[in-house]
Amino acid sequence: MEPTMVPIRAPELDVPYSFCSQPRSLLSRPKYREQSKAAETEKGPRRYGNIMIDPRVVRGNALSLRLLPESTQPSTPEVKKQRKAQKKLQSRKVTQEQIRPGTPEPVEGREHVHVQTELYLEEISDRIIEVDGECQTDEFLDRPPTPLFIPAKTGKDVATQIEEGELFDFDIEVKPILEVLIGKTVEQALLEVMEEEELAQLWSHQRAFAELRNAEFAELQRLEEQDRRIREEKERRRLEHLEKLRKQKETAEKVAARAFAQRYLADLIPSVFNNLHDRGFFYDPIERDIETEFLPWLMSEVEETLQKKVLGRMVLDSLIRMVVEKRLDEFSHPPPSDQTEAPAEEPGATDAAPQVSSEADAADQPVAEREQTDQPVAEE
Amino acid sequence: MAQPRISAYLPPDIDPTKAPLAFGRRALPKLNEELQSPELLTQQQALMALCDLVHDPEKVYQAIALGFLDNLKTLLVHHDQTVRQKTTEVLSIVALHSIGRQGLIQSEVISALTGLLDDPVDICRKNTHRIFDMMAKLPEGAGGVLWAGLIPPLVLKLKTELDEIQELILDTLSNCLRVDVSEALAAGVVTVLKEKLSHPSTAIRSKAAWVLLEISSHAEGKIAVCKEGVIPVLVSLLEDTQPEVQVNTTGALMFAAVAPQGRSSAMGAEAIPPLLKLVAEETSKARLNAIKTLTLLAELPEGRQTLLDHKDTFQRYLDDPSEAVQRAAQIAITVIEWKP
């Protein structure tokens, strides 16, 4: 259903109408609800009126019958007429309503009477009985003091005499206080002592552990030290041993080299001497002397002598040849010319010949001398 | 009427020097704000209340989660001595809890505490050293202490501080030097410890011997110890009557004798007779260390000769209730009977 708008419309129709708003047709309800919801959300903001000043809102007693309130518009005669018509209609309707009750008509001889069936009867009337009442408090007054309550005396009168020290006995009273004090102190002290004891236990435990640890550590270091020493010792001995081996090897090599060298050199001296001897480095000086000096001289002298001899012979040969040739020439050539020529040649030849002969003589003489010397030498 | 039953609730806080605690979860945040207030009295009261609260581990956890440590760090350098004293006390109690220690490492409180080493108030210094001591027991804490470069100042302080604080310093040093020893050696810790070995107080002597033990467990430490000639002093300390001192001294000798120079100097100082005496006592705590030291000395030929005569003392320990002693005795016998 669409919410009703609250416009105050001018009455368009002449027909008196009891309702405030004119009737109007509703839009056809759509089949499907989603569409209707969508249609609803598309509407603009609704306009609300203040219900406090809404003339349609009824005030006052809920049970009283009331007429419709007049509209706020200035009443034109038409409006007045309409209102009167409305009132008439209303009263008619009321009566009609009364005539047409819901209950059936009474049976003959009976009458229907309205009866109240509640517990408390109520007088129903148009006008409600109203009574004004008011109250007012008195001026403020001070509250009067409460009177002393003295109950009536009942029972017997009895009296007691309290001696000194009976009500309050210090020793008894002080006990709980003392207990609290001492108890708390002792408790606190116990806690502290326990704490300290626990700590002391922990420390002694730790010390014991530390001792063991130190002992083990010392053992470890000792073994380390021992190990180090042994290793060092081993290392040293190994090095020594290596050194020894090396020296041994060296010595052996040296000995071998020495033996070999000795053997090699044993031959050396004889061979050297032999070589030198062969080369002639060792010589008898006189023999050498003779050989080197005398004999070459001798040989050269001999050679010279021989050469001279040869020379002489050659000269002689040439002489003879010359002579022979000359004679041949002479014998072949005519004789007259021979004489002149021959003496010319002869002197010439004799010049040459004595020269040659002198040479030959001269040559002969030394040759003869040489021969002489040669012979003794040859004889030697 | 008062009753003798002890109530489960803590007694009401009527101490006027403490700040009133807010209820439940709100207590610590409110204290946090009060700590930052400009008024001195508020700060002091808040610190007093905090001191009591941090004994509870849950409160410590909450406090660290709220970031209390940063506020406490700024309060460490406050001009008022009560504030400083209480702050250090709070931090020392926080360091007693594991979560507290981790929080302290994370917020780098250790470096902030270095400034307090020279504080004029004794309690502040003592608490500071207590904090260092607790932190050094953790490996990360010891690393933190080393990293903050605290070792040289601590070694210097050893010479000048009060006895109680010296004990704390020695404890801290022993834990830190287990990790790294080079810084301390550079600061000349061995000389200082040599003096402390002849201190009248038993605790200081035993702790000094413990620190020497830790030093000589490192190789550089051994060399330094032998060079400074601490071994004769240690040998003389073997005659001490206190079992604590004996244990630590034998331990220190044990580690020092691992090095060859240490061994020879121990032999030279005639360590064998007092060690044998210690071994002979059945219930001495030092017997484990003494057996170990004698084992080390037996590696030298002269030592072996001397100890061959005393073999039966070791054989008695072969059925000792403590397993470590048994093993040590066995090893000792093996070493003594070894022939090259």
Side-chain angles (χ1 to χ4, degrees), chain A residues 169-182:
Chain A
D169 186 6
F170 177 75
D171 292 329
I172 299 171
E173 295 297 327
V174 89
K175 228 189 194 169
I177 300 176
L178 256 187
E179 277 185 33
V180 167
L181 274 176
I182 295 179

Side-chain angles (χ1 to χ4, degrees), chain A residues 173 176-177 179-180 183-184 187 195 199 203 206-207 210-219 221-222 225-226 228-229, chain B residues 2 4 6-7 9 137 178 210 213 217 222 244 247-248 254-255 258 260 263 285 288 292 295-296 299 324 327 331 335:
Chain A
E173 295 297 327
I177 300 176
E179 277 185 33
V180 167
K184 277 300 205 169
E187 203 180 306
E195 216 179 84
L199 273 177
W203 290 145
Q206 201 180 50
R207 283 284 292 233
E211 240 182 62
L212 276 176
R213 176 190 163 275
N214 283 338
E216 289 297 315
F217 197 36
E219 184 64 26
Q221 286 191 342
R222 183 185 76 87
E225 185 71 25
Q226 217 183 31
R228 188 185 65 87
R229 265 192 328 186
Chain B
I6 297 177
S7 102
Y9 300 108
K137 297 202 199 290
R178 199 174 293 155
W210 184 261
L213 192 155
S217 61
K222 286 196 245 281
E244 288 288 326
V247 171
N248 292 339
M254 175 171 78
F255 276 109
V258 173
R263 218 172 300 183
K285 282 195 275 182
L288 179 61
K292 287 260 172 249
T295 317
L296 282 163
E299 303 216 339
R327 257 184 303 156
I331 296 174
V335 170

Side-chain angles (χ1 to χ4, degrees), chain B residues 12-328:
Chain B
D13 220 2
I14 46 171
D15 190 353
T17 58
K18 284 196 237 169
L21 287 175
F23 184 75
R25 262 187 338 181
R26 188 68 200 133
L28 279 174
K30 183 150 178 287
L31 279 179
N32 207 356
E33 288 153 21
E34 280 182 13
L35 274 181
Q36 293 167 339
S37 91
E39 231 187 74
L40 182 63
L41 187 63
T42 327
Q43 282 178 334
Q44 286 177 345
Q45 282 179 337
L47 279 172
M48 300 280 301
L50 192 58
C51 265
D52 287 334
L53 280 180
V54 287
H55 283 279
D56 187 2
E58 290 185 24
K59 295 271 184 249
V60 172
Y61 180 77
Q62 194 185 358
I64 293 179
L66 284 171
F68 256 86
L69 291 173
D70 293 317
N71 285 337
L72 290 171
K73 250 202 310 194
T74 42
L75 282 176
L76 277 175
V77 293
H78 206 270
H79 54 86
D80 182 44
Q81 66 159 10
T82 321
V83 169
R84 282 200 309 264
Q85 175 192 327
K86 280 290 158 191
T87 315
T88 46
E89 202 177 311
V90 167
L91 284 174
S92 68
I93 303 176
V94 165
L96 285 175
H97 303 274
S98 148
I99 187 89
R101 284 193 284 263
Q102 283 176 358
L104 284 178
I105 293 176
Q106 271 171 354
S107 15
E108 300 182 15
V109 172
I110 299 181
S111 8
L113 282 168
T114 37
L116 277 173
L117 279 177
D118 301 311
D119 201 281
V121 180
D122 287 344
I123 304 269
C124 287
R125 285 200 310 258
K126 190 163 171 190
N127 286 334
T128 314
H129 284 287
R130 250 195 223 133
I131 298 173
F132 288 144
D133 185 24
M134 278 313 297
M135 294 306 298
K137 297 202 199 290
L138 269 189
E140 300 99 38
V145 171
L146 279 169
W147 211 62
L150 275 172
I151 311 276
L154 283 176
V155 173
L156 283 172
K157 290 280 167 207
L158 254 186
K159 298 189 212 159
T160 51
E161 278 278 12
L162 308 164
D163 281 355
E164 302 170 327
I165 303 187
Q166 276 186 18
E167 290 181 24
L168 291 169
I169 297 179
L170 285 170
D171 271 334
T172 321
L173 278 177
S174 74
N175 283 317
C176 289
L177 292 179
R178 199 174 293 155
V179 179
D180 177 47
V181 108
S182 48
E183 270 187 35
L185 286 175
V189 70
V190 184
T191 337
V192 180
L193 288 171
K194 206 166 123 178
E195 289 168 42
K196 296 284 169 240
L197 281 177
S198 34
H199 201 276
S201 154
T202 317
I204 291 197
R205 267 179 301 166
S206 69
K207 289 189 190 184
W210 184 261
V211 179
L212 276 171
L213 192 155
E214 298 291 346
I215 291 179
S216 34
S217 61
H218 297 262
E220 315 97 57
K222 286 196 245 281
I223 300 172
V225 162
C226 301
K227 239 194 319 184
E228 298 265 350
V230 182
I231 299 190
V233 186
L234 283 172
V235 171
S236 61
L237 214 56
L238 282 174
E239 326 258 316
D240 199 297
T241 45
Q242 302 293 324
E244 288 288 326
V245 182
Q246 283 172 352
V247 171
N248 292 339
T249 319
T250 40
L253 269 176
M254 175 171 78
F255 276 109
V258 173
Q261 309 104 302
R263 218 172 300 183
S264 40
S265 50
M267 281 303 296
E270 307 215 0
I272 299 194
L275 283 170
L276 278 171
K277 213 165 28 155
L278 280 173
V279 172
E281 297 169 31
E282 284 266 346
T283 52
S284 134
K285 282 195 275 182
R287 60 183 193 276
L288 179 61
N289 289 346
I291 295 178
K292 287 260 172 249
T293 322
L294 284 171
T295 317
L296 282 163
L297 288 175
E299 303 216 339
L300 289 172
E302 312 91 54
R304 204 174 301 133
Q305 253 178 345
T306 334
L307 285 170
L308 268 173
D309 308 326
H310 298 270
K311 223 167 43 174
D312 53 350
T313 37
F314 292 107
Q315 287 186 330
R316 253 190 310 149
Y317 282 116
L318 278 176
D319 44 6
D320 192 273
S322 155
E323 196 195 298
V325 177
Q326 271 183 25
R327 257 184 303 156

